[in-house]
Amino acid sequence: MTSQKPEERIVDIDLRVEMQESFLEYSYSVIYARALPDARDGLKPVHRRIIYQMGEMGLRPERGHVKSARVTGEVMGKLHPHGDGAIYDALVRMSQPFTLRVPLIDGHGNFGSLDDGPAAARYTEARLAQAAMAMNEGLDEDVVDFKPNYDAQLTEPEVLPAGFPNLLVNGSAGIAVGMATNMPPHNMREVVAAAIFLLENPDATTAQLMKYVPGPDLPTGGIIVGLDGVRDAYESGRGAFKTRARVTIESVSPRKLGLVVTELPYLIGPEKVIEKIKEGVNSKKLQGIADVTDLTDRTNGLKLVIELKTGFDPQVVLDLLYRFTPMEDSFSINNVALVNGRPQVLGLKELLGVYLTHRVTVTRRRSKNRLGKRQARLHLVEGLLVAILSIDEVIQVIRSSDEADDARSKLKQVFDLSDEQAEYILELRLRRLTKFSKIELEAEADKLRTEITELERILGDEAILRALVSTEMAEVAKIYGDARRTELRTETEEIKPISAAKAANVDAELADTECVITLTASGLLARSDSSETTAEGSKRKKNDAVTVRIATSTRKDLGFLTSDGKIHRIHAGDIPSSGETFEPATAIKVLEFLGLKGVTFVGLFDISGDGEILIGTKDGVVKRVVADYPSKDEFEVIALKDGDEVIGAASANGAVECVFVSSDAQLLRFDASGLRAQGRAASGVAGINLSSGAKAIEFAVVTERDSAIVVTAANSSDALAGTDAGSVKVSNLMEFPPKGRATGGVRAQKFIRNEDQLYFASITQGSALAMSVDGKPIELPEPTRRDASGSALVAVIGAVGVR
């Protein structure tokens, strides 16, 4: 027995025609059902289904969060017949505050960052955000059309009511077949203000609308550079603009400058920036960068610290970072959205127009729905009031009827009621037929008539309807809107890309320009861009004396000597600049600048040359230091004995004499030329021979004997520090006879009353200016003989400098 083969049915099809038809169907499906947002609510189908289904699940903002996997499953099973991964990705995007300007999902758990993806759906939880309620509001009032879901068992909205212009506010991105959309977020308050203006002025121009919406407002802030591309996009639907990170130049450590990044371009994460910086440093495209630290956290937000090397111009380094890292990024605007199911390229006015048309339609349908419901309710209430007024007759009619249909017919005939009224009375509970219920029903009827009149007024006048739309949009913007985050700059110089070869020739170091470093008696330090070393043209606090003024250049090194015998090497260019002249407001305390505690500042020197330094200590030791300064940031210049410390230092250039003043009022001046220079490891030689219990309180170097002034102040050693002002005396240095090194000196001030010590001494060249410890001026007496007593002081002397 042989089996028969089934009859084969082969259809010949033109492959070219089949490919065209299949590709067109696929393209339409991708464009309409996946990739492009609807211009009315600004949502793609998957986003719309998520928000709608979460509303159906009751996941309101006041309710608890539920597993994201549950939401994904509900959406996939009922509305979106695609993979759960795509649904969860869309849900995650709507919850990220760095992606959407106004997030629509309130996520709980790890929903990712700019550098890392989210946790799996089984680990995170979600519910609708407050703003999403405005997107769903009115769905139960027949404001939009519903369509069958994929298996025709359920229905879903074709579009959401959308209480605010979501497409402009949150933007969109998607790649379809043969087209793509890329729209930046905007500020809700600005967009709503523009929409209200367009609603009131349908003939408004793009320029007029841009007074309300000047440009995008990105969730991560940043700076938009140049608005020509934005203007083009608002006119034609296509354009481009550049965004830059928000960067400030700060002191990241006491001696280091750095670039502190607090905002990055849209969708750029700090890890990506760090990676590009490292690549740029290794390839030598970037110069002057010492280290990069990411201090970003959820409490303080983004903070990226780029520490600069000494001597590099922060602005040049920043320009290089803009060129070679994502700290400057370009955003291409392509406003493609679905209008009546067809993709269109829309400008700002068209986008707002489509939304407003939708919103007016929603408001009209909602008003019609509410009017119908209130009219139907008023009809029932009026019938119920008739029944209450004739309650005995109503009961008699019902009791005399054999069936419900018979009772319904009799009620209609006797009381002239409609079918709905008669049915409602038959189903009414007897407890409603009380006097109190009658009062309630009359009040309800009055309220319904008022509402019906208002709804009829709205539906009868297009201007009133539009005014209602404006009012509702303004209320939503007031609740969910906030201030602008992104700064718009129109006249910022463009940073053009350059090659690595050209970048290597860019000099990021500070220009070697002349400057003056000024240090005042109150400890203020600043750099002024001037070659003048005189006080002319400089500004300082009133009565604040200058103690050091050094003419140098921005590429030279300075040495800050402290009481522990160490020099701290600082680049002149790293000292805070005060502009062309010394400005106290921009100066910094010298110890704060050095970042040191437990020591005192002694002297400031130019250590870039071969200048030697003369040092004096509390134990009366003097040392001339050889100009052999290592390239270290910190090094010792004298070996101090235990308990000893440096009290004074000065440049040895032009030194004529060294002067010591002790606490027991002894002053010694001796020839500086007799001091032999020693290496940094040496401990120095005897300078002044101190008596038992005394200590040196001042060491100075004199270059001109005739103009040197000695200021001493005495008080009681038993008094609390800073409480006994004592007395002050001023003398010319030439009053004191010179003696040899390592001798005891001569008396500098005669003690009176309870005085037994000098608590302050200073030797200055020229006119002296004294200050109290709290910065107030102190009037000094006229110079007198060397061993005279002092004049009474009104305040404790804290510092003396040159006027």
Side-chain angles (χ1 to χ4, degrees):
M1 184 177 178
T2 60
S3 61
Q4 286 186 339
K5 292 182 178 181
E7 184 179 353
E8 295 180 352
R9 184 171 178 270
I10 300 175
V11 179
D12 291 331
I13 299 176
D14 189 331
L15 182 60
R16 183 176 59 182
V17 174
E18 178 64 23
M19 289 294 292
Q20 287 178 347
E21 292 178 353
S22 298
F23 185 75
L24 286 173
E25 290 179 6
Y26 166 74
S27 301
Y28 179 78
S29 174
V30 171
I31 291 170
Y32 181 73
R34 289 194 187 185
L36 298 184
D38 192 296
R40 293 171 292 179
D41 61 4
L43 298 173
K44 301 176 186 178
V46 63
H47 301 112
R48 185 179 303 114
R49 288 162 178 166
I50 291 171
I51 294 174
Y52 169 70
Q53 189 60 41
M54 289 181 73
E56 292 295 293
M57 294 169 66
L59 302 181
R60 302 171 59 85
E62 65 271 14
R63 304 279 180 86
H65 295 81
V66 301
K67 288 283 188 182
S68 300
R70 178 183 167 191
V71 176
T72 302
E74 287 281 322
V75 173
M76 182 174 60
K78 294 182 177 180
L79 303 175
H80 198 68
H82 300 286
D84 58 340
I87 299 172
Y88 183 55
D89 288 345
L91 184 147
V92 166
R93 184 183 183 276
M94 288 192 292
S95 72
Q96 294 174 331
F98 51 83
T99 301
L100 297 191
R101 190 62 178 79
V102 180
L104 301 176
I105 302 294
D106 178 13
H108 182 66
N110 178 16
F111 277 82
S113 67
L114 287 167
D115 295 309
D116 299 308
R122 60 184 178 276
Y123 298 123
T124 62
E125 298 177 342
R127 65 184 177 190
L128 290 176
Q130 285 286 353
M133 302 307 297
M135 297 294 292
N136 272 343
E137 187 177 8
L139 277 175
D140 57 344
E141 295 184 280
D142 190 34
V143 295
V144 295
D145 294 331
F146 278 70
K147 63 180 181 180
N149 69 334
Y150 64 91
D151 60 1
Q153 294 188 16
L154 301 170
T155 60
E156 60 176 309
E158 291 184 355
V159 65
L160 293 185
F164 60 91
N166 178 63
L167 186 56
L168 275 166
V169 171
N170 281 324
S172 185
I175 300 175
V177 178
M179 62 185 67
T181 185
N182 199 31
M183 305 176 65
H186 291 77
N187 184 274
M188 179 185 285
R189 292 177 180 173
E190 294 176 355
V191 170
V192 168
I196 292 174
F197 179 80
L198 182 61
L199 196 62
E200 297 171 351
N201 303 274
D203 297 328
T205 63
T206 302
Q208 290 176 315
L209 295 175
M210 284 189 68
K211 293 180 180 179
Y212 299 94
V213 185
D217 187 22
L218 308 174
T220 53
I223 301 168
I224 291 180
V225 181
L227 298 180
D228 291 341
V230 174
R231 192 174 295 107
D232 292 340
Y234 288 168
E235 285 282 1
S236 65
R238 289 192 173 92
F241 61 87
K242 287 186 177 181
T243 57
R244 286 183 184 171
R246 186 177 298 279
V247 185
T248 55
I249 301 172
E250 300 178 14
S251 294
V252 296
S253 69
R255 312 178 202 179
K256 291 280 189 180
L257 286 177
L259 303 174
V260 179
V261 183
T262 53
E263 295 174 6
L264 286 173
Y266 186 43
L267 301 181
I268 299 295
E271 288 187 11
K272 185 177 181 181
V273 173
I274 293 174
E275 180 183 351
K276 290 295 182 181
I277 289 176
K278 290 180 179 178
E279 290 179 5
V281 171
N282 292 335
S283 63
K284 300 191 178 183
K285 294 179 182 178
L286 300 176
Q287 305 174 32
I289 297 176
D291 192 17
V292 183
T293 307
D294 187 4
L295 302 180
T296 303
D297 58 40
R298 293 187 177 181
T299 303
N300 301 311
L302 175 71
K303 188 173 183 180
L304 199 61
V305 179
I306 304 171
E307 186 176 320
L308 302 182
K309 293 180 180 178
T310 297
F312 282 82
D313 189 337
Q315 190 58 53
V316 177
V317 175
L318 180 58
D319 289 347
L320 291 173
L321 286 168
Y322 283 147
R323 289 185 178 107
F324 295 110
T325 72
M327 285 175 58
E328 179 177 278
D329 195 28
S330 180
F331 189 99
S332 296
I333 302 176
N334 192 27
N335 295 337
V336 179
L338 296 174
V339 180
N340 297 323
R342 297 172 63 88
Q344 292 185 21
V345 181
L346 305 171
L348 177 62
K349 182 177 180 179
E350 290 76 18
L351 285 168
L352 290 172
V354 172
Y355 170 76
L356 289 173
T357 300
H358 168 64
R359 194 62 197 166
V360 168
T361 301
V362 166
T363 306
R364 182 183 290 110
R365 290 181 60 165
R366 184 190 65 197
S367 299
K368 287 181 179 179
N369 180 272
R370 290 177 178 178
L371 177 62
K373 288 182 177 179
R374 281 154 180 75
Q375 289 174 336
R377 176 61 184 169
L378 179 61
H379 184 62
L380 296 178
V381 170
E382 289 175 342
L384 191 56
L385 284 171
V386 171
I388 290 176
L389 291 174
S390 306
I391 184 62
D392 295 333
E393 296 178 33
V394 169
I395 295 174
Q396 182 63 34
V397 168
I398 295 174
R399 292 187 63 183
S400 63
S401 303
D402 296 331
E403 295 180 354
D405 292 341
D406 186 25
R408 186 183 301 108
S409 299
K410 289 181 179 179
L411 286 173
K412 290 169 59 179
Q413 293 174 1
V414 174
F415 300 102
D416 193 22
L417 300 176
S418 65
D419 290 337
E420 293 81 5
Q421 289 174 324
E423 184 66 28
Y424 187 67
I425 292 172
L426 287 174
E427 294 179 356
L428 193 66
R429 294 185 179 183
L430 291 177
R431 65 182 181 184
R432 291 292 309 274
L433 304 178
T434 62
K435 183 178 181 181
F436 184 70
S437 294
K438 178 186 175 184
I439 297 174
E440 286 182 343
L441 288 171
E442 289 176 344
E444 183 182 357
D446 292 338
K447 181 180 178 182
L448 287 170
R449 292 187 186 99
T450 302
E451 291 177 350
I452 289 170
T453 301
E454 177 63 21
L455 289 169
E456 288 176 340
R457 189 175 74 90
I458 292 172
L459 291 169
D461 192 331
E462 188 71 13
I464 296 176
L465 179 64
R466 288 174 172 266
L468 178 61
V469 173
S470 297
T471 302
E472 291 178 349
M473 284 194 299
E475 185 65 25
V476 171
K478 181 180 178 181
I479 296 173
Y480 304 117
D482 56 10
R484 166 171 282 276
R485 300 177 189 174
T486 303
E487 179 184 349
L488 304 176
R489 293 183 183 175
T490 56
E491 298 181 357
T492 301
E493 181 182 357
E494 183 181 1
I495 304 298
K496 297 180 180 179
I498 61 173
S499 64
K502 290 184 178 179
N505 296 323
V506 174
D507 189 1
E509 291 189 63
L510 283 170
D512 193 12
T513 57
E514 293 182 342
C515 62
V516 174
I517 308 301
T518 304
L519 181 67
T520 69
S522 61
L524 292 177
L525 174 72
R527 169 173 55 90
S528 54
D529 301 328
S530 171
S531 60
E532 296 295 327
T533 58
T534 64
E536 295 181 6
S538 296
K539 297 179 181 179
R540 59 178 185 268
K541 286 184 179 179
K542 187 178 180 181
N543 305 308
D544 193 359
V546 174
T547 55
V548 180
R549 185 181 281 115
I550 297 177
T552 181
S553 68
T554 51
R555 288 191 180 180
K556 288 186 178 180
D557 289 338
L558 298 176
F560 290 76
L561 178 62
T562 50
S563 57
D564 57 358
K566 294 180 180 179
I567 281 185
H568 304 268
R569 181 186 291 271
I570 303 294
H571 205 70
D574 290 340
I575 297 174
S577 174
S578 62
E580 294 185 359
T581 58
F582 178 82
E583 294 284 351
T586 56
I588 188 172
K589 286 286 187 180
V590 62
L591 283 177
E592 180 183 331
F593 173 70
L594 295 173
L596 300 176
K597 294 181 179 180
V599 296
T600 56
F601 171 74
V602 177
L604 173 61
F605 309 96
D606 186 346
I607 58 175
S608 59
D610 56 357
E612 296 178 346
I613 299 174
L614 286 166
I615 295 175
T617 74
K618 183 175 69 174
D619 289 347
V621 174
V622 64
K623 179 183 179 182
R624 182 191 288 265
V625 182
V626 175
D628 179 22
Y629 309 117
S631 58
K632 298 179 180 178
D633 291 339
E634 180 183 304
F635 54 89
E636 289 186 351
V637 290
I638 184 173
L640 296 171
K641 294 181 180 180
D642 291 342
D644 196 9
E645 62 182 47
V646 177
I647 59 169
S651 172
N653 294 342
V656 176
E657 288 184 338
C658 295
V659 181
F660 272 102
V661 181
S662 65
S663 60
D664 58 351
Q666 296 296 307
L667 184 148
L668 173 66
R669 51 183 280 229
F670 57 89
D671 192 352
S673 61
L675 287 172
R676 180 176 58 85
Q678 296 178 302
R680 290 181 293 104
S683 57
V685 296
I688 182 173
N689 187 14
L690 298 171
S691 60
S692 177
K695 61 182 179 181
I697 62 171
E698 167 72 347
F699 172 78
V701 175
V702 177
T703 57
E704 297 179 8
R705 297 186 186 94
D706 295 340
S707 62
I709 300 295
V710 180
V711 180
T712 55
N715 68 0
S716 171
S717 60
D718 294 332
L720 293 174
T723 61
D724 183 7
S727 63
V728 63
K729 183 181 76 70
V730 179
S731 303
N732 294 316
L733 181 64
M734 295 302 292
E735 289 280 332
F736 299 86
K739 299 180 68 176
R741 181 178 60 81
T743 59
V746 296
R747 189 167 67 176
Q749 182 172 343
K750 182 181 179 180
F751 294 143
I752 56 175
R753 296 186 296 275
N754 295 325
E755 296 175 350
D756 61 357
Q757 68 167 5
L758 291 183
Y759 72 88
F760 179 85
S762 175
I763 291 88
T764 62
Q765 302 268 180
S767 180
L769 179 65
M771 297 172 55
S772 65
V773 291
D774 56 357
K776 295 180 179 179
I778 295 178
E779 191 69 30
L780 294 176
E782 291 296 322
T784 184
R785 68 180 190 275
R786 66 175 178 82
D787 60 346
S789 58
S791 303
L793 274 171
V794 296
V796 176
I797 290 183
V800 171
V802 181
R803 290 182 185 273

